[in-house]
Amino acid sequence: MSRYIIRRLIQAIPVLLGATLLIYAIVFALPGDPIAALMGEKRMDPNLVTIMREQYHLNDPFLVQYWYYLVGLFGGDFGTTFAGVPVTDIMAGKFQVTINLAMTALVMEAVIGVGLGLYAALRHGRAQDSMVLASTLVLISIPTLVTGFVLQLLLGVKVGLFPVAGVTDGWRSYLLPGFVLAGTSIAYLTRLTRTSLVETLRADYIRTAVAKGLPRRRVVGRHALRNALIPLITYLGADLGTLMGGAVITETIFNLPGIGQQLFSSVYLREQSVVVGIVTVLVLIYILANLIVDLLYAVLDPRIRYE
């Protein structure tokens, strides 16, 4: 097991390098001058502009700039913004908001998605099954932007059940945006759970367990659901990175000061160090989540072993 973990971590190095190189190249190719974007319409002393361009290596070729960033990154230095603020200080506060939002969405996705999928699978072919499938189709069809504004208006403004914007009421501030962020994923996970469980319930060992007279709850919970969880765990692990990276729209709608808003503003200002720093952390989270998912396979299915 330890050798497998080390091998996976080594394999993550080229993935990390490729992701940072690609994002750095995209930000580098954006039109405009980052120093001019920093000052806006204000005029800046030409000598100060020259000093800043030398300090941040803006006059160097792309590969030279990327090399300087990479050396600092492997030394634990994510760089500083053009305003002189360390990138780690920016990410520390912003990531906490986005992690809270993503974890809230992931818990909702797992509980609601698996619950509805289990409900539909146990009533396969009935009216309840069709109703769940129709509901998920509607949820998939509606864009997140529309869902966010509608729920914000109805549940936040009209009814007043949840805060409308910002982090003003602890975890309650994350419930509504968390559901909006997880909406599409809930629909997909519900369908995946239903399909996986229906196929598992048709297996020979399930029919054998039923023929032996085992209680239905034990057959479904201990035998069928446990084997059906493997594709669900895979989806949830991959979706964690998607939820964190796709929080831009949700954070904008609910005015949450997370990495989504920070990433958008940093791209606009061409803050390479901030953009690449955020993406690097997201890639690390995605790699770690997939590693944990692979290790969970052996827990769910004893036949799976990593040598």
Side-chain angles (χ1 to χ4, degrees):
M1 181 70 74
S2 59
R3 286 185 296 176
Y4 173 77
I5 296 176
I6 294 174
R7 186 166 66 248
R8 285 292 302 269
L9 293 176
I10 294 176
Q11 291 173 354
I13 295 177
V15 175
L16 188 63
L17 291 176
T20 55
L21 178 62
L22 179 62
I23 297 300
Y24 205 95
I26 292 175
V27 178
F28 181 84
L30 292 175
D33 185 357
I35 303 299
L38 174 66
M39 297 306 298
E41 297 181 357
K42 297 180 181 179
R43 296 192 61 183
M44 197 173 183
D45 184 4
N47 294 328
L48 182 58
V49 172
T50 302
I51 293 174
M52 291 187 67
R53 295 189 67 86
E54 289 293 334
Q55 179 183 353
Y56 293 100
H57 310 288
L58 297 179
N59 295 324
D60 295 328
F62 163 71
L63 290 179
V64 176
Q65 292 187 36
Y66 177 69
W67 172 254
Y68 279 120
Y69 177 80
L70 208 58
V71 170
L73 181 63
F74 279 99
D77 181 15
F78 283 83
T80 59
T81 66
F82 294 123
V85 182
V87 175
T88 51
D89 291 348
I90 295 177
M91 292 194 299
K94 304 292 184 180
F95 256 105
Q96 185 60 54
V97 175
T98 301
I99 289 174
N100 291 342
L101 176 61
M103 293 308 297
T104 303
L106 190 68
V107 171
M108 288 184 172
E109 176 185 347
V111 173
I112 300 175
V114 174
L116 286 177
L118 178 61
Y119 177 82
L122 296 179
R123 291 157 181 81
H124 178 59
R126 303 180 189 175
Q128 297 95 322
D129 182 27
S130 301
M131 186 170 58
V132 170
L133 291 177
S135 302
T136 57
L137 184 60
V138 171
L139 196 57
I140 293 172
S141 304
I142 301 176
T144 302
L145 186 66
V146 176
T147 305
F149 280 123
V150 170
L151 292 181
Q152 187 182 47
L153 177 62
L154 294 179
L155 301 181
V157 178
K158 299 292 186 181
V159 182
L161 288 178
F162 303 99
V164 176
V167 185
T168 58
D169 195 11
W171 276 100
R172 289 187 71 250
S173 302
Y174 295 102
L175 294 179
L176 189 57
F179 179 79
V180 171
L181 179 61
T184 304
S185 298
I186 289 174
Y188 283 124
L189 186 63
T190 299
R191 287 174 165 262
L192 181 61
T193 303
R194 173 191 174 275
T195 302
S196 180
L197 196 55
V198 166
E199 292 179 357
T200 304
L201 289 173
R202 293 172 177 170
D204 292 337
Y205 68 91
I206 297 295
R207 287 197 290 266
T208 302
V210 173
K212 289 171 62 178
L214 293 180
R216 179 176 175 82
R217 179 177 298 181
R218 185 177 180 183
V219 171
V220 174
R222 184 171 180 177
H223 298 284
L225 186 58
R226 182 174 180 177
N227 286 280
L229 279 177
I230 293 181
L232 309 185
I233 294 296
T234 304
Y235 180 83
L236 286 172
D239 203 42
L240 177 60
T242 304
L243 292 174
M244 294 193 65
V248 178
I249 296 177
T250 306
E251 290 180 357
T252 302
I253 295 173
F254 293 93
N255 195 27
L256 298 176
I259 60 168
Q261 285 189 348
Q262 183 62 50
L263 189 61
F264 179 81
S265 62
S266 298
V267 170
Y268 178 77
L269 295 174
R270 290 191 61 187
E271 294 273 11
Q272 289 104 324
S273 56
V274 179
V275 175
V276 181
I278 291 175
V279 173
T280 300
V281 176
L282 288 176
V283 171
L284 288 174
I285 293 174
Y286 190 85
I287 292 172
L288 181 62
N290 279 272
L291 177 59
I292 294 175
V293 166
D294 287 346
L295 297 179
L296 284 176
Y297 286 164
V299 176
L300 295 173
D301 190 346
R303 295 172 299 178
I304 299 176
R305 288 291 180 265
Y306 297 110
E307 299 296 341

